[in-house]
Amino acid sequence: MEISRPKEIFGMNVLDRKTMKEVLPDEIYRKLVTAIEGGQKLDISVADFVATAMKEWAVSKGATHYTHWFLPRTETTAEKHMAFLTTDESGAPMDSFSGMELVRSEPDASSFPSGGIRSTFEARGYSTWDPSSPAFVVRSPKGATLCIPSVFISYDGTPLDMKTPLLKSIDVVRNKSMRLLKLFGNRSVRSVDVTVGGEQEYFLVDEEKARKRPDIMKCGRTLIGAPSPLEQTVEAHYFGSIHPRTLAYMEDVERDMYRMGQILKTRHNEVAPCQFEFAPDIAEGNLGCDQNHILMEIMKKMAIRHGFKLMLHEKPFAGVNGSGKHLNFSLRDSEGRNLLKPSSNQRRNIQFLTFLSAFLLGVSKHGGLLRAAIASPGNMHRLGGHEAPPAIMSVYLGDLLTQILDNIEKGLPDKMPSRSLIDLGLNRLPAVVADNSDRNRTSPIAFTGNKFEFRAVGAPQALAGPLTVLLAVWSKGIEEMTSMIEHRISEGRMDVTDAALEAIRHGAKESRAVRFEGNAYAPEWQNDAAKRGLTVANTTPEALDLYLIPENRSLFADLGIMTEREVEAYHEIRTEQYVNAMDVEMATMTAMIREGVLPAVTRQISLESEAIRSLPEELRKDMDPWNKSLKELVTLKNGLITGIENLDDLRQRANNMNLSERARIVTEEALPQMAAVRGMSDAAEQLVAGDIWPYPRYRDLLTTE
Ligand SMILES: NC(=O)CC[C@H](N)C(=O)O
């Protein structure tokens, strides 16, 4: 079979601007672009033209349906397909898609969690086209569907999705950045964009084996499973040569992504066996978030075609490297300049340091929000081990920048005579600051030369949540520093350089506590961080509660990103999601123990008792070790029975409680109970014969054949 080159298939399934320009009359195209860039509403007559063009393009790709594709607050994607096919007055079939249908649809999505914002009697939710993210076509076995990226709002206009707050936060950071850039001159800069790139880690296990494990199928992670000594040789996998079966999968994913107009820049084996990573090209913030959803969806479907089960869970296997989605982000001006890139020009470096310290300043005030943004049912198991960052939010800058900030913090006299004194290293900043990656692995947020990398995000998460928080926090810092600079200038005391240096000094000083260059895995760090006043939240509900702290809640409201009511609703949805995930895990664990592990232990016990009974008399001496292991099996069996009874009881009790009590009980009681059951099950696994043990073991799962 002839395989077409990536360049030939690139973008064929996406209705990008280039294609729009081709399929739309000039006048209409211009109006569309003005609407997109100015963020205005689209005239319905223009929308009619666009809808017709979209439909024709999609039909030419085999599409029979369209869907408003949106991101509910459950962090997944949602779609309800509508057929293009209709009949005219004479009953003849025809494809139809109007401007009204494009702009808005009413999915009647009463079942999406809204955190109490929308009651069922006013169940309607609307999805509205987001023209800044291109529509795309997804192939299905018998046709294709046109997907229209959309926002999702309730009847009264309250946002119910992840995209609306994200778009607002992008707007806020753009406006705030423009104000700051103007102070530095930059007359030709028209706008600022957010840039993102999410490095996607994942596991691929054999589907046939995965199907035999209810925990993988229902919870996305293993709830029991003894670590296998064979899997300890993990380093051999990292960046190793890729197994042909996996490579074939990766190539197919990449080609589907090319068709979507997206480039996956790197692919490689990650640290653990069967763990891998894709890293995309950087993209504009909103697009980058949508693209990551498209990537995860393609990865999932392609895995099935290749006989794999894709595991995106943050910690699918205990004791083995977990999966993150390291979120790289920066700001770029309309001239294409990266605002986090050091320069050989001193003035630009001061501008760079202003943006950098503005972020540090924001994190120093709202670090808890970043912790909340990455709090998920699964991330709790990942954070703090195996190269995943700990749960305390600190920033790693590297030696050079730390030294510069320290110098600025110490070295500036109150009244600065002139910029001539700035030999603080600013003249000598290399174009790209070396990134000391080994160290930054233990840091949740690292400056990596020309961008920040938020490493704490979990592999299955929607990028939109953490990105919204990062931008809100950054905007806050930019706002504060800009006001400082403006104030100094307007007093006539200083020019922008000196004023900015003072603002940087303020940022450096305020952020001293969150800047940490040491080993964040060291046991002392927990204590030291608490002494520095950093937020320590080890569990998901504790972390989610950080959304509700008044200064965090009001940050969103002040910036116009979410109202306080919306923040509360979001907190409720995320807490509910956690509690539900825990409930499914408890139910799955008890079922696996009851239906699989206990009968297996019984068989092993009877097999061994039988063997001992049938031993010739002379061999029945010195039976202590054997008897001991038999006794251990009996003890484990008893322990497991009690353990799952306790879990059943806990579930019952939790079901009669309100949400916050449930969150507390599943965290404080169910988690340790599940750990105890797991401990006993894993011990039993090591005493039960391979052909009796009911589930594929870690050793069987973590291998590619
Ligand atoms: N080498 C790495 O970057 C590993 C990262 C690790 N998998 C994580 O959970 O974030």
Side-chain angles (χ1 to χ4, degrees), residues 342-368:
S343 144
S344 51
N345 168 318
Q346 180 186 291
R347 194 180 171 99
R348 285 222 179 280
N349 274 338
I350 293 178
Q351 180 186 302
F352 151 69
L353 284 181
T354 311
F355 276 98
L356 180 104
S357 342
F359 178 68
L360 299 174
L361 185 61
V363 177
S364 71
K365 293 183 187 235
H366 299 282

Side-chain angles (χ1 to χ4, degrees), residues 201 238 270-271 275 277 321-324 326 382 386-389 441 455:
E201 294 184 327
Y238 190 51
E270 248 308 322
V271 181
Q275 190 189 25
E277 179 181 309
N321 198 288
S323 297
H326 303 167
R382 163 182 169 249
H386 297 100
E387 298 179 28
R441 279 188 188 199
R455 298 173 54 85

